[in-house]
Amino acid sequence: MQDIIDSSVVENENAARLTGLNRDYAALGDKLGRRGVSIDAIRDKVAAFGIAIPSWGVGTGGTRFARFPGPGEPRDIFDKIEDCAVIDQLTCATPRISLHIPWDKADPQALKEAASRFGLGFDAINSNTFQDQPGQRRSYKFGSLSHTDAATRQQAVEHNLECIEIGKAIGSKALTVWIGDGSNFPGQSDFARAFDRYLGSMKAVYAALPEDWRVFTEHKMYEPAFYSTVVQDWGTNYLIAKELGPKAYCLVDLGHHAPNVNIEMIVSRLIQFGKLGGFHFNDSKYGDDDLDAGSIDPYRLFLVFNELVEAERREAPGFQPAHMLDQSHNVTDPIESLMVSAGEVRRAYAQALLVDRQALAEAQEANDALMASEALKAAFRTDVEPILASARLKAGGAVDPVAAYRASGYRRKVAEKRPATEGSGGGIV
Amino acid sequence: MQDIIDSSVVENENAARLTGLNRDYAALGDKLGRRGVSIDAIRDKVAAFGIAIPSWGVGTGGTRFARFPGPGEPRDIFDKIEDCAVIDQLTCATPRISLHIPWDKADPQALKEAASRFGLGFDAINSNTFQDQPGQRRSYKFGSLSHTDAATRQQAVEHNLECIEIGKAIGSKALTVWIGDGSNFPGQSDFARAFDRYLGSMKAVYAALPEDWRVFTEHKMYEPAFYSTVVQDWGTNYLIAKELGPKAYCLVDLGHHAPNVNIEMIVSRLIQFGKLGGFHFNDSKYGDDDLDAGSIDPYRLFLVFNELVEAERREAPGFQPAHMLDQSHNVTDPIESLMVSAGEVRRAYAQALLVDRQALAEAQEANDALMASEALKAAFRTDVEPILASARLKAGGAVDPVAAYRASGYRRKVAEKRPATEGSGGGIV
Amino acid sequence: MQDIIDSSVVENENAARLTGLNRDYAALGDKLGRRGVSIDAIRDKVAAFGIAIPSWGVGTGGTRFARFPGPGEPRDIFDKIEDCAVIDQLTCATPRISLHIPWDKADPQALKEAASRFGLGFDAINSNTFQDQPGQRRSYKFGSLSHTDAATRQQAVEHNLECIEIGKAIGSKALTVWIGDGSNFPGQSDFARAFDRYLGSMKAVYAALPEDWRVFTEHKMYEPAFYSTVVQDWGTNYLIAKELGPKAYCLVDLGHHAPNVNIEMIVSRLIQFGKLGGFHFNDSKYGDDDLDAGSIDPYRLFLVFNELVEAERREAPGFQPAHMLDQSHNVTDPIESLMVSAGEVRRAYAQALLVDRQALAEAQEANDALMASEALKAAFRTDVEPILASARLKAGGAVDPVAAYRASGYRRKVAEKRPATEGSGGGIV
Amino acid sequence: MQDIIDSSVVENENAARLTGLNRDYAALGDKLGRRGVSIDAIRDKVAAFGIAIPSWGVGTGGTRFARFPGPGEPRDIFDKIEDCAVIDQLTCATPRISLHIPWDKADPQALKEAASRFGLGFDAINSNTFQDQPGQRRSYKFGSLSHTDAATRQQAVEHNLECIEIGKAIGSKALTVWIGDGSNFPGQSDFARAFDRYLGSMKAVYAALPEDWRVFTEHKMYEPAFYSTVVQDWGTNYLIAKELGPKAYCLVDLGHHAPNVNIEMIVSRLIQFGKLGGFHFNDSKYGDDDLDAGSIDPYRLFLVFNELVEAERREAPGFQPAHMLDQSHNVTDPIESLMVSAGEVRRAYAQALLVDRQALAEAQEANDALMASEALKAAFRTDVEPILASARLKAGGAVDPVAAYRASGYRRKVAEKRPATEGSGGGIV
């Protein structure tokens, strides 16, 4: 397994932080020990928790107004794999990449080799029927899997079938389907008929799923359609998973809900009814902002993980959620954002592991709302950074991934060989 | 059948408006006729459309800050029935009353007689486990049907069973269940266990439903619980209806959703999956504001009716929604608000009947978003007031119910016999 | 003045609708006459009401996910002027174009000639510092007028000064400034310092305004920045206008507010404090959706116009708002959407003119909330289409602009000479 | 100064926690010391930070649906003062009480003596014109300071003048004015005239302010009025403070904004323009939920304090905000909630004090969004509980206030002498 960042750089950076880390780890271990919690056991659980990186996440993102690329933008999927390898080398938290087709289309064997060179594998594969591609016969302007025109639906189905084939070739075990279908005007779309057509198309996709695969459907309240979307919320998403069958699950993107919605409760419901497929982690203040996970409302992320840890403990049937980041890095170096975000997801997991579940359950049973709240907050306010850092260090990564990355000069180096790209005006012309 | 308002008052008021109404009706008839639409047929459909009045709606409502009663507040359910009779006499649109137990508890025979005297019947009966009642053994402070304590759940179940008994005695055919259960703190409630307990309780209620009854469960995003509610949205509501069985349906209150949510789409989904039970009509700008139907966003109300008329046309299986107002009249005479609101609901229905459904379907099929939108807007902007007024007039009601009501002096008269009530400070002490 | 659409096409289409229009106009005139309102007077007021077309609006818009162009996309500002001329020829409602620099940069003399050929003039000129332009020395990735770097701010100021120069040359009388400046992370930007820098830059721009010009600043809650924006709401916008001086006014885009915000009240406040500059009209369900005006919540648009008509009546000091559409036409022919939208704006104006202001004022004074509401709703539900159509017809336009446009084959014809353009992936690739 | 809770109880509870506290404090001191930060200095700053308790907060709150009182509800202001004394004894964080008139009306001398017995003083005094009071001549049903009727406005003004008189007698230095004025229907209120009337009334109140007083006006988006409120947002609030004069400031209640609004930015703007008066701290998920501070989104609370600490550092002119809790404790013991909430406010303050402001400023200047974000998050994730506990301990309070309170049996004891109160149905009956 090949390192991208010179290991001596990482070692130097780690060395400078070792004393501090050891003292903080010991102090936290002491504190947790008083509660009868083993810090090492927590650390090991965290170390085993992997988050998938979306291939598109390593490029600079943009809005409909503009995209401002940074230096050294990846030119193709192979550059992207290298960037992902940097992330995993330093964080030891992101062993899999999630591809987007056709953006990442390439020879499957070459993809596998490129990834395995860095010890990376492939997560769920993502289809794309929200954009038109050169050479495509029918446009998705008015929809894809739910289009009024049968041939367009068929084209979209076939694209998903092709994604499954690619996924099989590279070792994926799941297909993620998010569509942009919807409407911009009341009346434009007949809700019931559009949903019927969508279900019909998805049944054709579902039929082609290999035995050991799952399909994740993703709901979203709005954007790119601004009056209605075909898969608008978890209620519709649940209906889809139910109609399709046991291999169909719901994917939750944290930024795809109405304002104020209690997302952790949706997570709980989907777990309870056996249909939680996984997550697209990110954070949001207004809508599908695709901001870095945990950057806006870290307590909300923790509350989601509180549900996941509880489900793990109860061994909820069919519970094996997929964890992926899905963010748009418009003003940061994408590699840095992804490293930090993977850390934030693990942080929420670590904090959730620290919840005193017996105290919580007793407070709930006694309707002691204050103590129940305190049980969560006590875990949340624990500074688990020493746990995260120790997990990275033990796995051969960096105590401080961003510092090591900056010290390595990676971005500067790739900028020398990857040509500068121009910004774009987004969708507004 | 007894009149409450002196019929000569109504006749005088109608006489003053007859010429205008006839001219406007003729002009609209001419216009619709050019499209091949019979105004009389529309008028007759509208005349057959009844909306239930909630008994509590005829009293002045309030907020947690204050309640400012008006003169002549009804003292009990018999006063309320009289007020409802006024509404139906003038609008000929509200033939049924929906009772709330224990607020309206009384001898069933007396209730039936009081109502039938005015030609009124009873709609769905509403249970109340969101308040404690004098003499009650266990408090609902921490929940009712989902309470952690089995005896409290049992008490809540029994209250619902009692409601069914009362309903049977007065001729209701449905039970509406809305609970205030939820939590104010993350951690206070275990989402999954609370929902399990709720389902257990509701199964006991469901088991007691007579053969020809339906049960309507109502979702609400927040209030009185402000972090989570047990039945938070239509997704959860659908799961309930599905778990309970074929007599269980979802009730949609227009004000119970997250900001920006596309409610007409929820209506469509529930119709499509056979679980739309009915409506609590009102309007809202911010939350469960319980404002008068159609007063804030009349186009949204129309879009809901567009779904209903379409479902009617398609003869969607199991489609027979109940229509009820549920509003809080804080600054108006409740009788006036209810008369106007019943008119607004009928207005939306009439407008939806005017949609050129063939043109709409063709535009949808052709992805002609502009023409699809225009098909709805053309119907919406039709001033159907002559149709509504004619339907009332033909049925013996008032061309202008508010004018007739004001001319009658009803409020002044009841204020003489009903003692003034004091305002209250609501829930904030 | 040159016609783009063959006048015989318009005449044919009009002829087919004349009888119906005359009957509907007469019927409405009769009805209004009973209230003492002259339909002709209303019609003439409406006919005098002009809405500016944004040059960018005639191209197909998109999102960060994709843009799906239609046939015959305008190649440059001269094509755009032709498309605008079509809109004005058929609606007689849109006499001015609002340019966006540098998108529309061209020889000013040529611009003036191109426009005047069709009887068109130029409205406010729009600067663009939310995108990087080829050849530009400094990037706006991290802001423009509020950038931490003085030279970048200076570049943005100079761009605005250039816009003023261009505007002077073509006869504009106002500059509209909207910036994308803001932040995506808590901490990224120091709110106070950023606002100070913005004010400093705008003072430099303000200093260059000709005596008879106004500057409009535009607030927006979010997008493209997703944690904070520098000019986030009307409160900040007001502070800007106040700091800058008497030629500075606030521009209100209907889609730029938080969910549930009462926009008509903001309009009222800005009028009351002498700082309402004008509007970017559109509609929205979720955010800055840039949907067609009046397509989602027509009553809200009416309520805004209710404020405008009232201000007109009171002769509020400094009240002379600019009216412009600002929409993104993603799924319709932009020309059709703009014609319909201009009609919707006029519709709201006409309805607001019909409000019985004495009845309204009396109801307000008497706290008769129901009658006050009815005064507005009675006006709103009046079908004023005959007034709008008659205004167009009298001015030489089309009774039904979309029908005439479709009959003309304009889009097909320009598609023959304007080459097909490719879709784009927006900002996310 | 008298203790309410037996000091031996507190000492026992503290003793059991001393070793743990000392170790955690030392470990945190070590960690902060590595950064050159003195933990003792932070602790002393925190210890000097006081939060006012609203008198009404010690009673159980409710909603419009119900209020479920707990045992030992305070019977009057003197009971409330005792409850406040408990809070301050254990937290040493809440030295002042904020009264609400007429709820807390009593002989001023008796009030002063009751409070000073426990070392407590009085904060801002709150007027109440959102409820009718027995014996009051005119109703506030349709408004108070902005009522259309001059005599009603005068009555509301006089009530505020009386509040000032009471405040003078008990040592308050500020008046807080929140009104429920607004409307429930479009048209009900003329926005501009209502605001004019409000300003006129407030000028009369302002004129009566003593030289060394301030007046705080409070904005709120909705509730109890559900279409519009007279003081709807910070923009209007700023206009008020500006119109009134230098003693007028804006009060920010964290729950009074539109969904998604960036509140910390509003705080920054008000500081920058010299008009931030202070806070009503609480938390919210949906609206004015009045949940416990920091219970829903602790990072948001921290971001507000980040602004406050920065303003303190810059010595922003006129910056001396008042800090008060304003919560509705519906499901907890109010004393417990207030103790925890005061702790949460201090927690946010302590975390904000730990922000490395130089690193932050440098990252901002360099547009290093990631490092700027990390500067805030590193401070936020520091577990400052040892600092808070040490500040309490040093001042004579409890290491764990809730544990000490529960051990003391205070609630049980007062429940013996304070009679049980009945629940109420709120405003909906």
Side-chain angles (χ1 to χ4, degrees), chain A residues 267-303:
Chain A
V267 170
S268 169
R269 288 285 185 274
L270 289 174
I271 293 171
Q272 190 171 5
F273 286 79
K275 284 299 190 189
L276 179 70
F279 292 92
H280 276 184
F281 289 116
N282 52 52
D283 213 334
S284 70
K285 184 157 181 65
Y286 305 102
D288 189 26
D289 310 333
D290 281 335
L291 300 179
D292 286 16
S295 66
I296 299 295
D297 186 352
Y299 196 50
R300 179 167 54 188
L301 185 60
F302 163 80
L303 292 173

Side-chain angles (χ1 to χ4, degrees), chain C residues 138-428:
Chain C
R138 291 163 192 278
S139 170
Y140 296 132
K141 180 169 189 167
F142 297 106
S144 59
L145 292 170
S146 79
H147 201 287
T148 51
D149 172 53
T152 309
R153 295 199 298 278
Q154 184 56 25
Q155 175 182 288
V157 167
E158 281 165 14
H159 168 68
N160 276 282
L161 301 188
E162 184 197 8
C163 287
I164 295 174
E165 287 311 306
I166 294 171
K168 281 155 70 174
I170 61 173
S172 289
K173 291 292 175 200
L175 170 71
T176 297
V177 180
W178 173 72
I179 57 168
D181 296 37
S183 71
N184 273 8
F185 290 84
Q188 178 186 342
S189 181
D190 181 300
F191 297 140
R193 287 185 177 133
F195 192 45
D196 264 345
R197 294 189 298 259
Y198 172 83
L199 286 172
S201 298
M202 279 305 295
K203 280 173 187 168
V205 173
Y206 187 87
L209 278 183
E211 207 45 52
D212 60 343
W213 273 50
R214 294 189 292 168
V215 62
F216 303 141
T217 50
E218 190 174 351
H219 59 271
K220 184 172 180 182
M221 191 199 201
Y222 69 98
E223 196 211 22
F226 290 108
Y227 163 65
S228 72
T229 59
V230 173
V231 188
Q232 90 275 24
D233 62 12
W234 79 272
T236 290
N237 206 349
Y238 174 80
L239 288 172
I240 294 165
K242 202 72 191 164
E243 291 285 314
L244 292 184
K247 290 184 284 189
Y249 290 84
C250 303
L251 189 89
V252 176
D253 182 304
L254 298 189
H256 286 193
H257 303 85
N260 301 344
V261 158
N262 187 322
I263 298 172
E264 53 271 27
M265 191 162 192
I266 291 174
V267 170
S268 169
R269 288 285 184 273
L270 289 174
I271 293 170
Q272 191 172 4
F273 286 79
K275 285 297 189 188
L276 179 70
F279 292 91
H280 276 183
F281 289 116
N282 52 52
D283 212 335
S284 70
K285 184 155 181 65
Y286 304 101
D288 189 27
D289 310 334
D290 281 334
L291 300 178
D292 286 16
S295 65
I296 300 294
D297 186 353
Y299 195 49
R300 180 167 53 187
L301 186 61
F302 164 79
L303 291 174
V304 167
F305 269 94
N306 181 49
E307 296 300 322
L308 300 182
V309 167
E310 178 66 18
E312 209 169 77
R313 203 181 62 83
R314 288 185 199 173
E315 300 178 358
F319 181 72
Q320 50 157 329
H323 301 296
M324 191 171 96
L325 293 168
D326 182 11
Q327 305 177 161
S328 185
H329 310 106
N330 303 356
V331 295
T332 54
D333 182 323
I335 290 176
E336 295 187 2
S337 268
L338 287 163
M339 292 193 302
V340 170
S341 300
E344 290 303 306
V345 172
R346 276 191 166 180
R347 185 186 315 281
Y349 178 55
Q351 290 165 328
L353 286 171
L354 293 179
V355 171
D356 183 336
R357 300 215 160 260
Q358 191 180 334
L360 176 63
E362 285 171 8
Q364 288 171 340
E365 194 62 27
N367 292 304
D368 188 345
L370 192 109
M371 278 307 173
S373 169
E374 283 299 298
L376 295 188
K377 291 202 303 193
F380 174 70
R381 68 181 172 239
T382 308
D383 185 354
V384 297
E385 188 60 30
I387 293 174
L388 307 185
S390 172
R392 286 190 293 265
L393 181 66
K394 211 171 159 228
V399 171
D400 183 334
V402 173
Y405 172 76
R406 292 191 173 189
S408 77
Y410 176 79
R411 181 61 68 189
R412 186 180 39 73
K413 284 176 207 157
V414 293
E416 284 164 13
K417 58 181 180 181
R418 301 178 186 172
T421 60
E422 275 195 20
S424 87
I428 62 154

Side-chain angles (χ1 to χ4, degrees), chain A residues 142 147-149 185-193 195-197 199 221-222 227-236 238-239 243 258-262 264-266 268-269 272-273 299 303 306-307 310 313-314 360-361 363-370 372-374 376, chain B residues 142 147-149 185-193 195-197 199 221-222 227-236 238-239 243 258-262 264-266 268-269 272-273 299 303 306-307 310 313-314 360-361 363-370 372-374 376:
Chain A
F142 298 106
H147 200 288
T148 52
D149 172 53
F185 290 83
Q188 178 186 342
S189 181
D190 181 301
F191 298 139
R193 286 183 177 135
F195 192 46
D196 265 345
R197 294 189 299 258
L199 286 172
M221 191 197 201
Y222 69 98
Y227 164 65
S228 73
T229 59
V230 174
V231 188
Q232 90 276 22
D233 61 12
W234 79 272
T236 290
Y238 173 82
L239 288 171
E243 292 285 314
N260 302 343
V261 158
N262 188 322
E264 53 271 27
M265 191 163 193
I266 291 173
S268 169
R269 288 285 185 274
Q272 190 171 5
F273 286 79
Y299 196 50
L303 292 173
N306 180 50
E307 296 300 323
E310 178 66 18
R313 202 180 63 81
R314 289 185 198 173
L360 177 63
Q364 288 171 341
E365 194 63 27
N367 292 304
D368 188 346
L370 191 109
S373 170
E374 283 300 297
L376 295 188
Chain B
F142 298 106
H147 200 287
T148 52
D149 172 53
F185 291 83
Q188 178 185 341
S189 183
D190 181 300
F191 297 140
R193 287 185 176 133
F195 192 44
D196 264 346
R197 293 189 298 261
L199 287 172
M221 191 198 201
Y222 69 97
Y227 163 65
S228 72
T229 59
V230 173
V231 189
Q232 90 276 24
D233 62 11
W234 80 272
T236 290
Y238 173 81
L239 288 172
E243 291 284 315
N260 302 345
V261 158
N262 187 322
E264 54 271 25
M265 192 163 191
I266 291 174
S268 169
R269 288 285 185 271
Q272 191 172 4
F273 286 79
Y299 195 49
L303 292 174
N306 180 49
E307 297 299 324
E310 178 65 19
R313 203 181 61 84
R314 289 185 197 173
L360 177 63
Q364 288 171 341
E365 195 62 27
N367 292 304
D368 187 345
L370 191 111
S373 170
E374 283 300 297
L376 295 188

